[in-house]
Amino acid sequence: MTRVAERLFALVRATLRNRMDDASLFEGTDAAQWREIYDLSSVQGVLAQAWDGMQLLPEAMRPPRALRLQWAVNVERIEKVYRRQERAIARLAAFYREHAIPMMLLKGYGLSLFYPVPEHRPCGDIDIWLFGRQPEADKLVAREWGVPVDVHKEHHTTFDVDGIMVENHYDFVNKETHASNARLERLFKQYAAQPGESVAVAGVAVYLPSEQLNALFLLRHAAVHFAAINIGLRHVLDWCVFVAHCHDRIDWPALYAVARETRMVGFLNCLNALCVDCLGLEAPSLPDFERDAELEKRVLDEILSPAFSGEQPEGLLRVVRFKTRRWWANRWKHRLVFDEGLAGAFVHSAWAHLKRPRSIAH
């Protein structure tokens, strides 16, 4: 782990603990090194958590004033987006409630409630589950709001509410690309039949997932993204704060049984190890799990500095070539999270894209 990464982890740990235990790491940190910390925190999706941790350092150890101003401006932007999303969630939930359609929030906003400062958890799209009433709800949005609904995405439709994209899930995972996803989907639907607690968002009640649904969904979502492209430190932090708050309500034997069956137990173990070693999650929050120092280092290195990176190009042929090269470079990650063979998974994924050609560019 680089010195920059060590310092970033120290800032995030300080935020989670509300105290700075590693101030000595920042002795002699110059402007250029602070810039590297800032840049890495931004890329990894933890800019605001690093900002909160930095406030716990002695004044003399903090970055130069110009960088602090830039940092503060960007944290304020994250807060503004969060408040916009809150309003969009409340408006959407109120609309569905008028039509007697219950709404459950997935990922994003619901996870932010576990953070020390909820509005500092960056939120992008609004992911929702409508308990099987997605087609009816999409028709209502299109008819009564005049909002176009995109049906060309995989396992969800999309539309905009006040400039915020909504992903309306009819499946929790893409069943077309991997056979294991189809098996898991049945379990997701079973877990989703019983929602978790209800919370008020701007005065409107919405459901959150049960702890078991959340655990499996967060794990699979992170695993699939890690294998296909990569994940950021924010995904690890999401898992960390979720486990810290809900560990005693998770059926760990059941979760590990599913992870072993789908061959993503190694990824789950790495996720847990990174939370303990890098983010300071207390070990009693987790069950006993196997450690593999070499694999943990490889996963952490890939998160912090992906072996295959770069912006996706324009043009169908260039996109296909880019995605094929990325798939080949990430084949070791595929073996870590999927139980299907590489060839079979490639054929399934290619066929899924051919059935929805517009999905190729996404």
Side-chain angles (χ1 to χ4, degrees):
M1 188 191 305
T2 66
R3 189 71 168 173
V4 172
E6 280 184 328
R7 289 165 171 159
L8 175 56
F9 283 128
L11 293 176
V12 176
R13 283 195 301 271
T15 298
L16 297 177
R17 296 169 176 169
N18 196 30
R19 67 178 190 273
M20 175 57 72
D21 296 330
D22 305 297
S24 61
L25 284 172
F26 297 90
E27 291 177 356
T29 305
D30 59 26
Q33 292 166 333
W34 268 115
R35 169 59 65 177
E36 289 183 279
I37 296 169
Y38 171 88
D39 289 342
L40 183 60
S41 71
S42 180
V43 169
Q44 292 295 320
V46 293
L47 184 75
Q49 286 74 40
W51 166 265
D52 293 334
M54 184 260 289
Q55 308 304 311
L56 298 171
L57 281 170
E59 179 67 27
M61 289 185 177
R62 296 180 190 179
R65 184 173 182 273
L67 180 58
R68 273 190 276 177
L69 286 174
Q70 181 182 355
W71 211 327
V73 166
N74 283 299
V75 170
E76 185 177 13
R77 286 176 181 164
I78 292 171
E79 294 171 348
K80 287 180 178 178
V81 171
Y82 185 90
R83 288 190 286 270
R84 281 182 58 211
Q85 187 173 78
E86 250 185 344
R87 292 191 294 270
I89 290 170
R91 183 185 174 203
L92 188 61
F95 173 75
Y96 288 144
R97 186 174 62 182
E98 290 174 5
H99 296 280
I101 299 175
M103 185 176 101
M104 179 191 291
L105 289 172
L106 306 174
K107 301 184 299 177
Y109 183 86
L111 287 176
S112 76
L113 303 179
F114 299 130
Y115 276 70
V117 184
E119 59 269 32
H120 283 183
R121 195 270 186 192
C123 292
D125 303 336
I126 300 171
D127 291 78
I128 61 173
W129 168 252
L130 300 179
F131 300 88
R133 299 179 66 180
Q134 168 267 330
E136 172 191 356
D138 281 349
K139 290 177 183 177
L140 287 168
V141 165
R143 184 176 69 242
E144 298 192 19
W145 284 358
V147 173
V149 177
D150 185 350
V151 299
H152 298 285
K153 303 292 193 299
E154 299 166 337
H155 69 276
H156 58 73
T157 57
T158 63
F159 56 89
D160 281 357
V161 175
D162 301 332
I164 305 290
M165 180 178 286
V166 177
E167 295 187 355
N168 190 1
H169 287 252
Y170 50 84
D171 286 327
F172 287 86
V173 287
N174 187 353
K175 297 185 296 186
E176 302 295 328
T177 55
H178 293 87
S180 57
N181 278 351
R183 298 197 305 273
L184 280 171
E185 186 61 33
R186 292 190 289 271
L187 189 55
F188 280 124
K189 298 279 175 56
Q190 177 184 325
Y191 287 158
Q194 297 296 324
E197 64 179 315
S198 174
V199 297
V201 181
V204 182
V206 295
Y207 287 113
L208 297 181
S210 67
E211 286 78 15
Q212 206 63 22
L213 173 58
N214 228 352
L216 184 58
F217 186 63
L218 293 177
L219 172 62
R220 189 61 170 184
H221 181 262
V224 168
H225 275 266
F226 179 72
I229 306 174
N230 200 30
I231 59 174
L233 178 56
R234 182 183 59 75
H235 293 83
V236 183
L237 186 54
D238 278 348
W239 182 254
C240 181
V241 297
F242 165 68
V243 170
H245 281 79
C246 303
H247 62 92
D248 57 342
R249 299 188 297 280
I250 299 170
D251 185 341
W252 287 104
L255 182 64
Y256 262 90
V258 174
R260 290 189 185 94
E261 180 187 342
T262 52
R263 214 174 73 178
M264 58 178 175
V265 67
F267 180 78
L268 173 56
N269 287 338
C270 285
L271 205 55
N272 286 339
L274 296 181
C275 288
V276 171
D277 294 349
C278 301
L279 299 178
L281 181 66
E282 295 183 359
S285 298
L286 295 164
D288 292 334
F289 62 94
E290 294 183 15
R291 299 291 302 257
D292 183 334
E294 184 177 347
L295 181 60
E296 291 162 14
K297 181 180 183 302
R298 189 176 190 185
V299 169
L300 178 59
D301 288 346
E302 178 67 12
I303 291 172
L304 295 176
S305 182
F308 186 94
S309 58
E311 294 294 323
Q312 182 170 297
E314 298 291 334
L316 180 60
L317 290 179
R318 289 190 180 93
V319 169
V320 170
R321 184 162 57 246
F322 173 85
K323 286 192 171 184
T324 301
R325 287 175 51 235
R326 185 176 65 191
W327 175 84
W328 182 250
N330 288 344
R331 63 193 184 278
W332 72 272
K333 296 193 285 183
H334 181 282
R335 297 190 186 99
L336 182 62
V337 305
F338 293 117
D339 61 357
E340 297 93 342
L342 283 168
F346 184 82
V347 170
H348 272 94
S349 183
W351 178 242
H353 282 310
L354 288 173
K355 288 196 292 184
R356 293 176 182 266
R358 294 189 192 179
S359 70
I360 296 174
H362 296 287

